[in-house]
Amino acid sequence: MIDKNTVQQAVEEWLQGKEYFLVDVSISEDDRIVVVIDHADGVWIEDCAELSRYIESRLDRDAEDYELEVGSAGLGQPFRVKRQYEIHVGKSVETQTNGGEKFRGTLLEVDDEGFSLSVEEKVLEEGRKRPVKREVIHRFAYADVAYTKYLIKIK
């Protein structure tokens, strides 16, 4: 079986000096390697091909038979690493808590413990008969979130 650390090290070497970042490396029992990278401005297919060739140059095809797939995180896919949250600050996201509650709003800030969303909600203010829409800020710890993903809006 191919060593995950070997693949991860090759990816990290290729990433040096580039604005890309590693999202995930997974290797199945049948040696199917999947490498997922991301970039603030999107991932180019040419760069995926270049990274794939770089990884292949670090592995021995004669010693192990493997399948290699290099790709981007994908627009509608849940965030997996903090850097994905960081590049989406100021953008619309959807978050679902571990308890199943969904929030849609603007990603305001990100730190090591979690993130904040500004969500438009109906709030019943004192002295009013009907609720009014207001921006409410919610704070989430990463451990309390089932997923967060970029919210694609079609106008």
Side-chain angles (χ1 to χ4, degrees):
M1 182 159 177
I2 296 195
D3 181 38
K4 183 176 179 175
N5 291 331
T6 302
V7 175
Q8 215 161 342
Q9 183 178 5
V11 174
E12 294 294 343
E13 288 171 9
W14 184 84
L15 291 173
Q16 286 182 4
K18 296 178 177 68
E19 292 184 25
Y20 284 99
F21 58 93
L22 179 62
V23 174
D24 190 38
V25 172
S26 63
I27 303 175
S28 67
E29 289 184 22
D30 60 345
D31 284 335
R32 181 172 184 262
I33 306 166
V34 178
V35 177
V36 180
I37 59 173
D38 208 346
H39 186 284
D41 297 327
V43 176
W44 294 92
I45 189 109
E46 294 86 4
D47 292 326
C48 289
E50 182 183 321
L51 174 56
S52 180
R53 286 189 296 274
Y54 188 84
I55 294 168
E56 286 182 354
S57 74
R58 300 294 188 263
L59 300 175
D60 185 1
R61 262 277 183 215
D62 295 331
E64 303 227 38
D65 186 29
Y66 61 87
E67 178 183 344
L68 176 61
E69 177 183 324
V70 176
S72 67
L75 271 179
Q77 299 300 311
F79 300 163
R80 295 186 188 168
V81 296
K82 180 182 160 201
R83 183 76 178 107
Q84 288 178 294
Y85 285 86
E86 292 170 344
I87 65 173
H88 287 90
V89 168
K91 297 178 182 166
S92 295
V93 298
E94 177 180 276
T95 294
Q96 181 174 324
T97 65
N98 291 333
E101 195 173 7
K102 283 188 182 179
F103 296 86
R104 289 183 173 188
T106 303
L107 185 58
L108 295 179
E109 64 179 6
V110 176
D111 59 37
D112 290 339
E113 288 78 42
F115 59 96
S116 298
L117 285 184
S118 174
V119 179
E120 190 174 272
E121 296 179 356
K122 288 184 179 180
V123 177
L124 184 59
E125 293 181 343
E126 192 174 325
R128 294 213 161 187
K129 292 182 181 183
R130 295 180 188 221
V132 292
K133 288 187 177 181
R134 295 278 184 241
E135 291 295 316
V136 178
I137 297 175
H138 293 274
R139 176 80 184 154
F140 300 93
Y142 297 117
D144 298 334
V145 171
Y147 71 80
T148 299
K149 60 185 177 181
Y150 178 66
L151 189 59
I152 301 168
K153 291 185 178 181
I154 300 173
K155 294 182 180 183

